[in-house]
Amino acid sequence: MNIIITGTSSGIGAELVKRYKKQGHNIFEISRRSEKYPCDVSDFDKLRTIIKEIVNENEIDMVIANAGISYPHSTDFMNFDDFKNTIDVNFISVHALLENIVPQMKQNKRGKIVIISSLAGFVASPTSLAYSASKRALNSYAEALRNQLDPFNIKVINIQPGFIETEMTKKNRFKMPFLMNLEEGVDKVEYAIAKNKKEYAFPFVFATAVKTLSIMPNGIKDYILKNWIKN
């Protein structure tokens, strides 16, 4: 398969590249540290140009929108530049990435689009304003895209991990519940992709707790979130 993956410098993206290359697939790695396709995905013009060049010369079987950033958790009101950067990288870049891929997949009537979201998209943490907002937006985007592209036999897979040991989570200064090591986390990601899961949230116990919290009355949910901040 020809596979495009963003955010391949480290963490989930780098591990996926390693695994898919070992399986014999052709990988197009897009990241700030990529040797062949260096790009910050928030540079939308550059990203769209790179993808257009790749698509013009290759038929893409799968794309994995994995690039993401997070700033340290804080109860301070976030400055605009950091907020915008988070939304640009985590959310808007996904549409820029797919702009030239989706038409090709529709023409071929096949393909797989994988979006790496987060459990943070279910409950908006007051300490990660932009990150939670970007991931909730991704969940809505994936749902809409899945149903839009279903008539063309294009699978859209929305993966919503909890905490996984990566460079991004190393910055967190709090105890992360149900923290998974990288290999275990990517095992789950790879499984969801192979099984064409429409949505796949994990680890199970943490995902169940978060989803339950998300549907609680606002008064109860707010009480829990405010006490979590204090602790």
Side-chain angles (χ1 to χ4, degrees):
M1 290 195 297
N2 287 323
I3 305 173
I4 295 175
I5 308 178
T6 62
T8 58
S9 296
S10 63
I12 294 172
E15 182 65 19
L16 285 172
V17 167
K18 184 173 70 174
R19 294 186 184 200
Y20 283 127
K21 279 187 175 180
K22 190 175 181 179
Q23 294 170 19
H25 301 299
N26 184 35
I27 312 298
F28 300 92
E29 303 176 45
I30 299 174
S31 70
R32 287 174 294 179
R33 287 177 263 174
S34 172
E35 292 183 7
K36 191 169 183 181
Y37 301 108
C39 180
D40 184 324
V41 295
S42 65
D43 185 342
F44 304 136
D45 289 338
K46 184 175 182 180
L47 176 61
R48 291 159 72 199
T49 298
I50 288 173
I51 297 300
K52 191 172 184 179
E53 291 174 356
I54 294 173
V55 168
N56 283 344
E57 298 178 1
N58 303 272
E59 289 196 352
I60 302 305
D61 300 290
M62 180 164 69
V63 55
I64 303 176
N66 170 71
I69 60 169
S70 176
Y71 288 86
H73 283 242
S74 174
T75 55
D76 293 336
F77 190 72
M78 198 173 197
N79 71 65
F80 176 79
D81 289 338
D82 290 348
F83 184 92
K84 182 178 183 300
N85 191 36
T86 304
I87 300 297
D88 284 350
V89 172
N90 293 0
F91 179 51
I92 299 178
S93 71
V94 175
H95 197 74
L97 170 69
L98 297 178
E99 181 185 38
N100 288 295
I101 297 173
V102 167
Q104 185 193 72
M105 287 184 170
K106 288 175 71 174
Q107 184 176 357
N108 293 337
K109 288 188 166 35
R110 63 178 178 83
K112 192 175 290 193
I113 296 169
V114 181
I115 292 173
I116 306 297
S117 182
S118 169
L119 290 182
F122 290 104
V123 176
S125 169
T127 60
S128 59
L129 184 67
Y131 186 79
S132 294
S134 69
K135 295 302 184 178
R136 184 168 293 190
L138 265 184
N139 288 347
S140 295
Y141 182 86
E143 181 178 17
L145 191 66
R146 181 178 74 242
N147 289 290
Q148 183 184 98
L149 299 182
D150 182 68
F152 301 94
N153 193 36
I154 299 170
K155 308 299 182 185
V156 177
I157 299 163
N158 182 17
I159 301 176
Q160 301 146 333
F163 294 108
I164 297 175
E165 290 179 348
T166 63
E167 286 186 9
M168 189 165 68
T169 57
K170 282 180 182 177
K171 297 181 295 184
N172 292 337
R173 293 293 176 261
F174 57 90
K175 185 176 181 180
M176 292 171 278
F178 299 96
L179 178 65
M180 305 175 72
N181 64 52
L182 181 61
E183 290 72 23
E184 184 182 7
V186 177
D187 283 346
K188 298 284 189 182
V189 171
E190 196 173 9
Y191 166 81
I193 295 172
K195 295 296 184 181
N196 292 324
K197 296 287 187 180
K198 293 179 179 180
E199 288 189 352
Y200 190 69
F202 68 90
F204 176 77
V205 174
F206 190 28
T208 301
V210 170
K211 287 181 179 181
T212 301
L213 179 60
S214 73
I215 61 174
M216 285 182 176
N218 285 332
I220 298 174
K221 181 164 57 177
D222 291 351
Y223 176 81
I224 293 171
L225 289 171
K226 282 185 279 191
N227 277 276
W228 179 74
I229 292 173
K230 292 176 184 177
N231 296 327

